[in-house]
Amino acid sequence: MHLSDILTHLGEERANYFNAVAPPIIQTSNFAFPNLKAFRKAFEDEMDAHLYSRGNNPTVKILRQKIAALENAEDALVFGSGSGAIANAVIANVKAGDHIVCVKSPYSWTQHLISNLLARFGVEHTFVDGKDTSAIESAIKDNTTVLYLESPNSATLEIQDLSACADIAKKHNLVSIIDATYASPLYQRPLDLGIDISVQTCSKYLNGHSDIVAGAISSSKAMIRKIFNTEYMTLGGIISAQDAAMIIRGLRTLEIRLERSSESALLIAQRLARHPKIAAVHHPHLPSYPQYELAKKQMKKCGGLFSFYLKAEAIEDVERFFHKLQRFLLAVSWGGHESLLLPYCAFYGIPGREDTTVPWNMIRIYIGLEDPEWLWEDLEQALEVL
Ligand SMILES: *Cc1c(COP(=O)(O)O)cnc(C)c1O
């Protein structure tokens, strides 16, 4: 199906609601039945019937269809957060005594899920260097059931060879799961490369306006059915109809937003790479990137997120650089309209928390929808303090 068709029309049955161009927000928990026969029938399949909004809500259903089509998946489920989607995908595929092979330093709450929450229920794990395909295979044990990937990593941008990982998972009968938020389904299609489950954080590009927290799982009909029947319905981490409608609106402009961010980010990455006050730039589509060939092979474009290292002697230098900036916001997250900076020195010296292993002079940068020349002016003047 054409991308324009997915973003503009798919799943929208306008004749059912006065031919309204924007879908209605079906703000209801409950649905009523004309007779007992229809009521009884609805209990046969809560995923399809209009029975109760924890199972199926018509506004959410439109969004599910669009996300599944974007991922080239048979079906999808949407959740109240990206973390919720990740937890549902993983929990659905492990039981006590099983073992997970996961890439090192995944998203922080994924790390917490695997190291702490699932460990409490007797699920073991090994974290491996995802750049090394043979290390992934060597970490597999007799009780391994899940291979968990995150490519690219949203901080250090390391990537995994997804086709090779999918082959390993098939060979050892594992369910492969990827957090594929970085590239969005427009620039990387993990299911087409053989991965079983693709997770997206809709809080980032899919919604795209920094006003919603949500996540999605895309996979085969059988896998989505399995997750729906148990984890989705019991954990109940659903998205509201209101928020689903906001994401449907965000999707209208997904293609042009991503193109703008990708082009601006690549331009700024190239300029930073030539700047004398910059020690290094990590952008998967710069030829200097260590995994450039693989990044080009499995990812069409990179979107707006990359990282760079300042030539700084102390954390105070990083602070002086930040205090000069006017046009970037200092914040976590990314994927919205606004450009952001996340200095990793912010994760140093937090009471009760171990310092990050990411060097303190690394800065993650997200380029949003503003004029890239206007953003570059700001970076250039702030770099002068170093
Ligand atoms: C933001 C993010 C998440 C978590 O998503 P939430 O919607 O905030 O729960 C997970 N993985 C990656 C790569 C992210 O960037």
Side-chain angles (χ1 to χ4, degrees):
M1 190 179 296
H2 198 283
L3 177 61
S4 296
D5 204 11
I6 299 171
L7 301 181
T8 314
H9 300 301
L10 179 68
E12 299 179 63
E13 296 168 27
R14 298 189 171 108
N16 290 346
Y17 30 85
F18 314 106
N19 293 309
V21 168
I25 299 167
I26 308 291
Q27 186 74 26
T28 190
S29 60
N30 217 355
F31 299 84
F33 293 85
N35 55 52
L36 193 58
K37 188 167 170 245
F39 195 22
R40 191 177 288 125
K41 176 109 188 91
F43 285 107
E44 282 174 18
D45 185 2
E46 283 206 41
M47 193 161 150
D48 251 5
H50 295 129
L51 175 72
Y52 189 61
S53 274
R54 174 157 38 78
N56 185 21
N57 174 282
T59 311
V60 176
K61 179 77 181 282
I62 297 172
L63 179 59
R64 282 179 49 202
Q65 287 173 263
K66 287 187 191 292
I67 291 177
L70 288 175
E71 292 272 15
N72 200 19
E74 288 175 1
D75 206 349
L77 286 171
V78 185
F79 297 83
S81 72
S83 269
I86 292 165
N88 274 262
V90 175
I91 292 169
N93 289 292
V94 291
K95 60 179 184 329
D98 286 350
H99 173 252
I100 299 171
V101 173
C102 178
V103 292
K104 245 184 215 150
S105 308
Y107 180 71
S108 53
W109 294 103
T110 305
Q111 172 99 35
H112 201 67
L113 169 77
I114 292 173
S115 323
N116 301 330
L117 193 150
L118 287 175
R120 259 172 43 210
F121 295 93
V123 179
E124 303 167 9
H125 58 266
T126 306
F127 291 109
V128 292
D129 178 356
K131 298 193 296 305
D132 181 353
T133 309
S134 61
I136 292 177
E137 189 156 22
S138 325
I140 295 170
K141 307 201 287 183
D142 289 345
N143 57 340
T144 307
T145 57
V146 165
L147 173 59
Y148 188 92
L149 311 170
E150 183 177 313
S151 187
N153 178 291
S154 67
T156 53
L157 307 170
E158 284 153 1
I159 63 183
Q160 295 103 57
D161 184 330
L162 300 187
S163 299
C165 288
D167 289 345
I168 291 172
K170 285 197 176 78
K171 181 172 148 200
H172 295 271
N173 209 15
L174 316 181
V175 174
S176 50
I177 304 173
I178 182 172
D179 179 340
T181 306
Y182 175 90
S184 92
L186 262 51
Y187 296 156
Q188 175 176 271
R189 297 267 279 273
L191 269 47
D192 289 354
L193 301 174
I195 302 294
D196 297 313
I197 301 179
S198 177
V199 179
Q200 289 288 336
T201 299
C202 308
S203 325
K204 311 292 164 51
Y205 293 124
L206 298 193
N207 178 60
H209 294 75
S210 304
D211 47 12
I212 289 294
V213 176
I217 293 177
S218 301
S219 189
S220 66
K221 266 202 182 326
M223 178 61 75
I224 292 297
R225 170 62 69 178
K226 169 175 138 152
I227 297 171
F228 177 87
N229 285 349
T230 302
E231 290 72 23
Y232 185 84
M233 287 304 281
T234 58
L235 300 175
I238 60 166
I239 186 174
S240 69
Q242 290 263 1
D243 283 1
M246 294 281 269
I247 298 174
I248 292 167
R249 181 166 73 168
L251 287 177
R252 309 292 191 201
T253 54
L254 178 66
E255 187 183 14
I256 53 174
R257 284 188 285 108
L258 270 164
E259 269 171 22
R260 168 82 167 182
S261 271
S262 296
E263 271 174 35
S264 301
L266 192 56
L267 177 79
I268 288 175
Q270 286 160 344
R271 287 186 187 172
L272 284 172
R274 291 194 297 267
H275 197 284
K277 306 283 174 63
I278 299 295
V281 176
H282 283 185
H283 182 297
H285 279 190
L286 281 188
S288 59
Y289 189 70
Q291 295 175 285
Y292 174 71
E293 296 300 329
L294 179 59
K296 276 284 188 186
K297 191 177 105 188
Q298 65 185 28
M299 207 163 49
K300 249 195 263 174
K301 291 183 189 182
C302 293
L305 195 71
F306 64 99
S307 57
F308 61 92
Y309 293 73
L310 285 179
K311 272 189 193 160
E313 264 144 40
I315 286 186
E316 289 70 38
D317 292 337
V318 183
E319 285 175 4
R320 280 192 296 128
F321 167 71
F322 267 87
H323 292 151
K324 278 286 271 181
L325 287 163
Q326 304 280 325
R327 299 173 184 175
F328 286 83
L329 299 177
L330 179 61
V332 297
S333 196
W334 47 280
H337 51 284
E338 75 292 8
S339 293
L340 306 168
L341 289 167
L342 177 63
Y344 271 70
C345 64
F347 299 112
Y348 280 73
I350 302 171
R353 238 174 106 152
E354 241 175 83
D355 284 351
T356 168
T357 51
V358 177
W360 55 263
N361 63 334
M362 190 191 104
I363 295 171
R364 188 178 82 175
I365 182 167
Y366 169 68
I367 303 297
L369 305 180
E370 306 94 325
D371 180 349
E373 296 299 340
W374 183 74
L375 294 170
W376 175 248
E377 263 175 29
D378 196 34
L379 286 170
E380 215 177 17
Q381 64 83 27
L383 283 168
E384 275 168 24
V385 304
L386 296 179

